[in-house]
Amino acid sequence: MKTNPTIADSDLFQPAKLGDLTLRNRIVMAPLTRSHAGAGDVQGPINAEYYAQRATAGLIISEATQISQQGKGYAFTPGIYTQEQIAGWRLVTAAVHNQGGRIFAQLWHVGRISHPDLQKDGALPVAPSAIKPAGQAFTPTGFKDFVTPRALETSELAGIVADYVHAAKAAKEAGFDGIEVHAANGYLLDQFLRSSTNKRHDNYGGPVENRARLTLEVVAAVTQVWGGARVGIRLSPVSPANDVEDSNPMGTFSYLVEQLNPFGLAYLHCVEGQTIGPRTIPDDFSFARIRQLFNGMYMANNGYDIDLALTARRENLADFICFGRPFIGNPDLVERLRTGAPLTVAPRESWYGSKDGTGYTDWPTLAQQNARAAE
Ligand code: 8OZ
């Protein structure tokens, strides 16, 4: 019988190298959409406070952040392409650094997971192919059915890559420590990768070598800005999030990961299982194999608790463990995990936005909770 290592034996809470950075532990705060950006999709003091509260993570990955208005798919998500947005993010990165933390910006283009109400002049959202996703978009006036997107012209793809470069430069100006390319969860890059959403007949559709092309071009371009050691990528190879599917996920993602190796990325971040869902993994898919194919650090995400995290380190299944939902209700998650303290469970109603600002920066640390209990 296997027994879990104790926390004292684990290196989960010890400093570790990621790219050319030394992080204070191996616990990463996952990118979490919280929908608390202000007018102009700008972050402000309240967002700086939220992230600074969670800076004891070895690394924070910012919430998904659109690289352009075209890349926006939800009301109240932040952007990283205007001077105002850069200035807002500067407050966030300064506050995190002030607490000794590190933060990467997650760069996001939603593709077809949008709505004309969120686009410039009511334009159609764009995608590899004109295939309407099932479901609804979160617009400023509530949920609305997705529409059939416009298939991008081949000649437009260089412009998408240029938008990623513009955002990567903006992230540098905003004081981030690095960037993560969001190629997961059924957004634009994932829509190109998957066979169900990519029916193109040009060099960007058809065989995996073509479907992976846009993601690889984006990675090539943003590593020119940052250097590979400050760039990570997030994939969700077996997640059906946002109505995507692939006829051969192991083939698609093995190819992609091998092609990523020459860029010397800081890490590969995988959503193991279904996004915001169970860790169900098909028999013919292996994250261990994906990790083996990749030359850099492997960051594991989805449904981890302390026992799974300790096991992952003991059995060397992952280099870094990325926690998402537990960071919402527990700003001091690292300390709680280290001491075995109970976790606060933030209800789903508190995840996205709020009318009065509650449920965002008001989750107490253990010390604050104990002080209140003693009053
Ligand atoms: C939940 C709600 C809205 C967006 C993702 C950026 O799945 C997201 C997201 C998650 O990557």
Side-chain angles (χ1 to χ4, degrees):
M1 199 184 82
K2 283 179 183 168
T3 53
N4 257 327
T6 64
I7 284 168
D9 299 331
S10 174
D11 62 3
L12 196 55
F13 299 93
Q14 300 302 317
K17 291 263 296 181
L18 180 71
D20 59 350
L21 295 171
T22 301
L23 307 184
R24 48 188 177 193
N25 55 59
R26 292 176 182 270
I27 294 172
V28 175
M29 177 173 157
L32 291 166
T33 290
R34 301 299 314 276
S35 308
H36 278 272
D41 304 340
V42 172
Q43 300 285 64
I46 187 82
N47 312 100
E49 185 186 353
Y50 161 77
Y51 280 108
Q53 288 170 339
R54 289 156 180 79
T56 50
L59 175 69
I60 294 171
I61 303 167
S62 84
E63 65 207 276
T65 299
Q66 56 263 10
I67 61 166
S68 60
Q69 186 170 352
Q70 188 191 64
K72 179 176 181 175
Y74 301 78
F76 315 123
T77 55
I80 187 142
Y81 55 94
T82 70
Q83 280 307 316
E84 293 73 24
Q85 291 163 358
I86 292 170
W89 278 117
R90 267 195 171 284
L91 302 177
V92 173
T93 60
V96 169
H97 291 154
N98 198 35
Q99 296 296 319
R102 295 286 194 179
I103 181 165
F104 276 33
Q106 196 197 42
L107 303 188
W108 190 32
H109 189 308
V110 298
R112 66 180 188 156
I113 303 301
S114 185
H115 189 277
D117 288 4
L118 294 160
Q119 296 289 313
K120 191 161 180 275
D121 304 324
L124 284 178
V126 297
S129 302
I131 303 170
K132 184 170 108 133
Q136 293 189 312
F138 178 51
T139 80
T141 52
F143 285 94
K144 293 192 180 174
D145 287 350
F146 287 126
V147 299
T148 302
R150 178 176 72 77
L152 284 158
E153 302 289 340
T154 310
S155 60
E156 287 178 282
L157 298 179
I160 301 271
V161 176
D163 287 345
Y164 273 95
V165 169
H166 178 76
K169 288 179 177 164
K172 211 165 206 187
E173 244 185 276
F176 282 98
D177 297 296
I179 55 169
E180 178 177 280
V181 174
H182 191 345
N185 298 344
Y187 298 111
L188 184 72
L189 297 177
D190 206 21
Q191 289 158 29
F192 270 85
L193 288 168
R194 310 289 195 108
S195 59
S196 74
T197 38
N198 183 342
K199 304 290 181 193
R200 299 178 70 89
H201 298 292
D202 61 3
N203 278 342
Y204 293 84
V208 62
E209 292 78 8
N210 286 352
R211 284 182 282 121
R213 194 177 308 280
L214 185 62
T215 300
L216 292 168
E217 286 180 353
V218 166
V219 169
V222 299
T223 53
Q224 289 289 314
V225 176
W226 275 94
R230 297 296 184 101
V231 176
I233 187 167
R234 192 173 209 222
L235 306 175
S236 58
V238 299
S239 177
N242 290 314
D243 199 16
V244 293
E245 213 184 329
D246 197 75
S247 53
N248 176 14
M250 199 61 210
T252 298
F253 288 91
S254 301
Y255 173 82
L256 175 63
V257 163
E258 286 187 305
Q259 296 300 308
L260 288 171
N261 281 331
F263 299 107
L265 298 185
Y267 66 87
L268 167 66
H269 179 184
C270 285
V271 180
E272 297 172 337
Q274 311 201 1
T275 312
I276 323 185
R279 293 176 53 81
T280 315
I281 296 159
D283 288 344
D284 57 357
F285 194 89
S286 165
F287 281 100
R289 178 76 188 130
I290 291 287
R291 182 186 182 207
Q292 236 171 26
L293 293 172
F294 184 67
N295 290 344
M297 294 287 167
Y298 178 81
M299 192 181 285
N301 172 245
N302 213 26
Y304 276 84
D305 60 14
I306 185 65
D307 289 333
L308 262 180
L310 292 172
T311 303
R313 283 306 302 150
R314 182 195 53 188
E315 297 183 1
N316 194 18
L317 302 172
D319 299 295
F320 292 85
I321 311 295
C322 195
F323 290 83
R325 283 158 280 168
F327 262 112
I328 295 178
N330 304 277
D332 55 344
L333 181 66
V334 172
E335 187 60 11
R336 290 189 194 224
L337 294 178
R338 200 179 61 76
T339 58
L343 301 186
T344 303
V345 177
R348 191 176 268 264
E349 303 79 70
S350 66
W351 294 358
Y352 309 114
S354 64
K355 288 198 175 63
D356 54 3
T358 56
Y360 189 51
T361 54
D362 51 356
W363 298 101
T365 62
L366 199 57
Q368 289 165 337
Q369 220 170 297
N370 290 340
R372 276 181 215 173
E375 269 170 21

Coordinates of all heavy atoms in Angstrom, one line a residue, residues 103-157:
I103 N 4.0 37.1 -11.2 CA 2.8 37.0 -11.9 C 3.0 37.0 -13.4 O 3.8 37.8 -13.9 CB 1.8 38.1 -11.5 CG1 0.4 38.0 -12.2 CG2 2.4 39.5 -11.6 CD1 -0.7 38.8 -11.6
F104 N 2.4 36.0 -14.1 CA 2.4 36.0 -15.6 C 1.0 36.4 -16.1 O 0.0 36.2 -15.4 CB 2.6 34.5 -16.1 CG 4.0 34.0 -16.2 CD1 5.0 34.5 -15.3 CD2 4.4 33.1 -17.1 CE1 6.3 34.1 -15.4 CE2 5.7 32.7 -17.2 CZ 6.7 33.1 -16.4
A105 N 1.0 37.0 -17.3 CA -0.3 37.4 -17.9 C -0.7 36.3 -18.8 O 0.0 35.8 -19.7 CB -0.1 38.7 -18.7
Q106 N -2.0 35.9 -18.7 CA -2.5 34.9 -19.6 C -3.2 35.6 -20.8 O -4.1 36.4 -20.7 CB -3.5 34.0 -19.0 CG -3.8 32.7 -19.9 CD -5.0 31.9 -19.5 OE1 -6.1 32.5 -19.3 NE2 -4.9 30.6 -19.5
L107 N -2.6 35.4 -22.0 CA -3.1 36.1 -23.2 C -4.1 35.2 -24.0 O -3.9 34.1 -24.3 CB -1.9 36.3 -24.2 CG -0.7 37.2 -23.6 CD1 0.3 37.5 -24.7 CD2 -1.2 38.4 -22.9
W108 N -5.2 35.9 -24.3 CA -6.5 35.2 -24.7 C -7.1 35.8 -25.9 O -7.3 37.0 -26.0 CB -7.4 35.4 -23.5 CG -8.7 34.6 -23.3 CD1 -9.0 33.4 -23.8 CD2 -9.8 35.1 -22.6 NE1 -10.2 33.1 -23.4 CE2 -10.8 34.1 -22.7 CE3 -10.1 36.3 -21.9 CZ2 -12.0 34.2 -22.1 CZ3 -11.4 36.4 -21.3 CH2 -12.3 35.4 -21.4
H109 N -7.5 35.0 -26.8 CA -8.4 35.3 -27.9 C -9.5 34.3 -27.9 O -9.2 33.1 -28.1 CB -7.7 35.4 -29.2 CG -8.5 36.0 -30.4 ND1 -9.8 35.5 -30.7 CD2 -8.2 37.0 -31.2 CE1 -10.3 36.3 -31.7 NE2 -9.4 37.1 -32.0
V110 N -10.7 34.7 -27.7 CA -11.8 33.7 -27.6 C -12.3 33.1 -28.9 O -13.1 32.1 -28.8 CB -13.1 34.4 -26.8 CG1 -12.7 34.8 -25.5 CG2 -13.6 35.5 -27.7
G111 N -12.0 33.7 -30.0 CA -12.5 33.2 -31.3 C -14.0 33.3 -31.3 O -14.6 34.3 -31.1
R112 N -14.7 32.1 -31.6 CA -16.1 32.1 -31.8 C -16.9 32.2 -30.5 O -18.2 32.4 -30.5 CB -16.5 30.9 -32.5 CG -16.3 29.6 -31.7 CD -16.7 28.4 -32.5 NE -16.6 27.2 -31.7 CZ -17.3 26.1 -31.8 NH1 -18.1 25.9 -32.9 NH2 -17.2 25.0 -31.0
I113 N -16.2 32.1 -29.3 CA -16.9 32.2 -28.0 C -17.1 33.6 -27.6 O -16.6 34.1 -26.6 CB -16.2 31.3 -26.9 CG1 -16.0 29.9 -27.4 CG2 -16.9 31.4 -25.6 CD1 -17.3 29.2 -27.7
S114 N -17.9 34.3 -28.4 CA -18.2 35.7 -28.2 C -19.6 36.0 -28.8 O -20.3 35.1 -29.1 CB -17.1 36.6 -28.9 OG -17.3 37.9 -28.7
H115 N -19.8 37.3 -29.0 CA -21.1 37.8 -29.4 C -21.0 39.1 -30.1 O -20.1 39.9 -29.6 CB -22.1 37.8 -28.3 CG -23.5 38.0 -28.7 ND1 -24.1 39.3 -28.9 CD2 -24.5 37.1 -28.9 CE1 -25.3 39.1 -29.3 NE2 -25.6 37.9 -29.3
P116 N -21.8 39.5 -31.1 CA -21.6 40.8 -31.7 C -21.7 41.9 -30.7 O -21.1 43.0 -30.8 CB -22.8 40.9 -32.7 CG -23.0 39.4 -33.1 CD -22.7 38.6 -31.8
D117 N -22.5 41.8 -29.6 CA -22.6 42.8 -28.6 C -21.3 43.1 -27.9 O -21.1 44.2 -27.3 CB -23.6 42.4 -27.5 CG -25.0 42.4 -27.9 OD1 -25.3 42.6 -29.1 OD2 -25.9 42.1 -27.1
L118 N -20.3 42.2 -28.0 CA -19.0 42.4 -27.4 C -17.9 42.9 -28.4 O -16.8 43.2 -28.0 CB -18.5 41.1 -26.7 CG -19.4 40.6 -25.5 CD1 -19.1 39.2 -25.3 CD2 -19.0 41.4 -24.3
Q119 N -18.3 42.9 -29.7 CA -17.4 43.2 -30.7 C -17.5 44.6 -31.2 O -18.6 45.3 -31.1 CB -17.6 42.2 -31.9 CG -17.4 40.7 -31.6 CD -15.9 40.5 -31.4 OE1 -15.1 40.8 -32.2 NE2 -15.5 39.8 -30.3
K120 N -16.5 45.1 -31.9 CA -16.5 46.5 -32.4 C -17.6 46.6 -33.5 O -17.6 45.7 -34.4 CB -15.1 46.7 -33.1 CG -14.9 48.2 -33.4 CD -13.4 48.4 -33.6 CE -13.1 49.9 -34.0 NZ -13.2 50.1 -35.4
D121 N -18.4 47.6 -33.4 CA -19.5 47.8 -34.4 C -20.4 46.6 -34.6 O -20.9 46.4 -35.7 CB -18.9 48.3 -35.7 CG -18.0 49.6 -35.5 OD1 -18.4 50.4 -34.7 OD2 -17.0 49.7 -36.2
G122 N -20.5 45.8 -33.6 CA -21.4 44.6 -33.7 C -21.0 43.6 -34.7 O -21.8 42.8 -35.2
A123 N -19.7 43.5 -34.9 CA -19.1 42.6 -35.9 C -19.4 41.1 -35.4 O -19.6 40.9 -34.2 CB -17.6 42.8 -36.1
L124 N -19.3 40.2 -36.4 CA -19.4 38.8 -36.0 C -18.1 38.4 -35.4 O -17.0 38.8 -35.8 CB -19.6 37.9 -37.3 CG -21.0 37.9 -37.9 CD1 -21.0 37.1 -39.2 CD2 -22.1 37.4 -36.9
P125 N -18.2 37.5 -34.4 CA -17.0 36.8 -33.8 C -16.3 36.1 -34.9 O -16.9 35.6 -35.9 CB -17.5 35.9 -32.7 CG -18.9 36.4 -32.4 CD -19.4 37.0 -33.7
V126 N -15.0 35.8 -34.8 CA -14.2 35.1 -35.8 C -13.8 33.7 -35.3 O -13.7 33.5 -34.1 CB -13.0 35.9 -36.3 CG1 -13.4 37.2 -36.9 CG2 -12.0 36.1 -35.1
A127 N -13.5 32.8 -36.2 CA -13.2 31.5 -35.9 C -12.5 30.8 -37.1 O -12.5 31.4 -38.2 CB -14.5 30.7 -35.6
P128 N -11.9 29.6 -36.9 CA -11.3 28.9 -38.0 C -12.3 28.6 -39.1 O -12.1 28.7 -40.3 CB -10.7 27.7 -37.5 CG -11.1 27.6 -36.0 CD -11.6 28.9 -35.6
S129 N -13.5 28.2 -38.7 CA -14.6 27.9 -39.6 C -15.9 28.4 -39.1 O -16.1 28.7 -37.9 CB -14.7 26.4 -39.8 OG -13.5 25.8 -40.2
A130 N -16.9 28.6 -40.0 CA -18.1 29.3 -39.7 C -19.1 28.2 -39.0 O -20.1 27.8 -39.6 CB -18.8 29.9 -40.9
I131 N -18.7 27.8 -37.8 CA -19.5 26.7 -37.1 C -19.9 27.3 -35.8 O -19.1 27.8 -35.0 CB -18.7 25.5 -36.9 CG1 -18.2 24.9 -38.2 CG2 -19.5 24.4 -36.1 CD1 -17.1 23.8 -38.0
K132 N -21.2 27.4 -35.6 CA -21.8 28.0 -34.4 C -21.6 27.1 -33.2 O -22.0 25.9 -33.2 CB -23.3 28.2 -34.6 CG -24.0 28.9 -33.5 CD -25.4 29.3 -33.9 CE -26.4 28.5 -33.3 NZ -27.5 29.3 -32.8
P133 N -21.1 27.6 -32.1 CA -21.0 26.8 -30.9 C -22.3 26.6 -30.2 O -23.2 27.5 -30.3 CB -20.0 27.5 -30.0 CG -20.0 28.9 -30.5 CD -20.6 29.0 -31.9
A134 N -22.5 25.5 -29.5 CA -23.7 25.4 -28.6 C -23.5 26.3 -27.4 O -22.4 26.5 -26.9 CB -23.8 23.9 -28.2
G135 N -24.6 26.9 -26.9 CA -24.5 27.6 -25.7 C -24.7 29.1 -25.9 O -25.2 29.6 -26.9
Q136 N -24.4 29.8 -24.8 CA -24.7 31.3 -24.8 C -23.5 32.1 -24.3 O -22.6 31.6 -23.6 CB -25.8 31.5 -23.8 CG -27.1 30.9 -24.2 CD -28.3 31.4 -23.3 OE1 -28.2 31.3 -22.1 NE2 -29.3 31.8 -24.0
A137 N -23.4 33.3 -24.8 CA -22.3 34.2 -24.5 C -22.8 35.1 -23.3 O -24.0 35.4 -23.2 CB -22.0 35.1 -25.7
F138 N -21.9 35.5 -22.5 CA -22.2 36.4 -21.4 C -21.9 37.8 -21.8 O -20.8 38.3 -21.9 CB -21.3 36.1 -20.1 CG -21.5 37.0 -19.0 CD1 -22.8 37.2 -18.5 CD2 -20.4 37.6 -18.3 CE1 -23.0 38.1 -17.4 CE2 -20.6 38.4 -17.2 CZ -21.9 38.7 -16.8
T139 N -23.0 38.6 -22.2 CA -22.8 39.9 -22.7 C -23.2 40.9 -21.6 O -23.7 40.6 -20.5 CB -23.8 40.2 -23.9 OG1 -25.1 40.4 -23.4 CG2 -23.9 39.0 -24.8
P140 N -22.9 42.2 -21.9 CA -23.2 43.2 -20.8 C -24.7 43.3 -20.4 O -25.0 43.7 -19.4 CB -22.8 44.6 -21.5 CG -21.8 44.2 -22.5 CD -22.2 42.8 -23.0
T141 N -25.5 42.7 -21.3 CA -27.0 42.7 -21.0 C -27.5 41.3 -20.7 O -28.7 41.1 -20.9 CB -27.8 43.4 -22.1 OG1 -27.4 42.8 -23.4 CG2 -27.5 44.9 -22.2
G142 N -26.6 40.4 -20.4 CA -27.0 39.1 -20.0 C -26.6 38.0 -21.0 O -25.9 38.3 -21.9
F143 N -27.1 36.8 -20.8 CA -26.7 35.7 -21.6 C -27.5 35.8 -23.0 O -28.7 36.0 -23.0 CB -27.0 34.4 -20.9 CG -26.0 34.1 -19.9 CD1 -26.2 34.4 -18.5 CD2 -24.8 33.5 -20.2 CE1 -25.2 34.2 -17.6 CE2 -23.8 33.2 -19.2 CZ -24.0 33.6 -17.9
K144 N -26.8 35.5 -24.1 CA -27.4 35.5 -25.4 C -26.8 34.4 -26.2 O -25.6 34.1 -26.1 CB -27.1 36.8 -26.2 CG -27.8 38.0 -25.5 CD -27.7 39.3 -26.4 CE -28.4 40.4 -25.7 NZ -28.3 41.7 -26.5
D145 N -27.6 33.7 -27.0 CA -27.2 32.6 -27.8 C -26.0 33.0 -28.7 O -25.9 34.1 -29.2 CB -28.3 32.2 -28.8 CG -29.4 31.4 -28.0 OD1 -29.3 31.1 -26.8 OD2 -30.5 31.2 -28.7
F146 N -25.0 32.0 -28.8 CA -23.9 32.2 -29.7 C -24.5 32.4 -31.1 O -25.5 31.9 -31.4 CB -22.9 31.0 -29.6 CG -22.1 31.0 -28.3 CD1 -22.1 29.8 -27.6 CD2 -21.4 32.1 -28.0 CE1 -21.3 29.8 -26.4 CE2 -20.6 32.0 -26.8 CZ -20.6 30.9 -26.0
V147 N -23.7 33.0 -31.9 CA -24.0 33.2 -33.4 C -23.0 32.4 -34.2 O -22.0 31.9 -33.7 CB -24.0 34.7 -33.8 CG1 -25.0 35.5 -33.0 CG2 -22.6 35.2 -33.7
T148 N -23.4 32.2 -35.5 CA -22.4 31.6 -36.4 C -21.3 32.6 -36.7 O -21.5 33.7 -37.1 CB -23.1 31.2 -37.7 OG1 -24.2 30.3 -37.4 CG2 -22.1 30.5 -38.7
P149 N -20.0 32.2 -36.3 CA -18.9 33.1 -36.5 C -18.5 33.2 -38.0 O -19.0 32.5 -38.8 CB -17.8 32.4 -35.7 CG -18.1 31.0 -35.8 CD -19.6 30.9 -35.8
R150 N -17.7 34.2 -38.2 CA -17.1 34.4 -39.6 C -15.8 33.7 -39.6 O -14.9 33.8 -38.7 CB -16.9 35.9 -39.8 CG -16.3 36.2 -41.1 CD -16.2 37.8 -41.3 NE -15.2 38.4 -40.5 CZ -13.9 38.4 -40.7 NH1 -13.4 37.8 -41.7 NH2 -13.0 39.0 -39.9
A151 N -15.6 32.9 -40.7 CA -14.3 32.1 -40.8 C -13.2 33.2 -41.2 O -13.4 34.0 -42.1 CB -14.4 31.1 -41.9
L152 N -12.1 33.1 -40.5 CA -11.0 34.0 -40.8 C -10.4 33.7 -42.2 O -10.2 32.6 -42.5 CB -9.9 33.9 -39.7 CG -10.2 34.5 -38.4 CD1 -9.4 33.9 -37.3 CD2 -10.0 36.0 -38.4
E153 N -10.1 34.8 -42.9 CA -9.4 34.6 -44.2 C -7.9 34.3 -43.8 O -7.4 34.7 -42.8 CB -9.3 36.0 -44.9 CG -10.7 36.6 -45.3 CD -11.4 35.8 -46.3 OE1 -10.8 35.0 -47.1 OE2 -12.7 35.9 -46.4
T154 N -7.3 33.5 -44.7 CA -5.9 33.2 -44.5 C -5.0 34.4 -44.3 O -4.2 34.5 -43.4 CB -5.3 32.4 -45.7 OG1 -6.2 31.3 -45.9 CG2 -4.0 31.8 -45.4
S155 N -5.4 35.5 -45.1 CA -4.6 36.7 -45.0 C -4.8 37.5 -43.7 O -4.0 38.4 -43.4 CB -5.0 37.6 -46.2 OG -6.4 37.9 -46.1
E156 N -5.8 37.1 -42.9 CA -6.0 37.8 -41.6 C -5.2 37.2 -40.5 O -5.0 37.8 -39.4 CB -7.5 37.7 -41.2 CG -8.4 38.5 -42.0 CD -9.8 38.3 -41.5 OE1 -10.4 37.3 -41.9 OE2 -10.4 39.1 -40.7
L157 N -4.6 36.0 -40.7 CA -4.0 35.3 -39.6 C -2.7 36.0 -39.1 O -2.4 36.0 -37.9 CB -3.8 33.8 -39.9 CG -5.1 33.1 -40.2 CD1 -4.8 31.6 -40.6 CD2 -6.0 33.1 -39.0

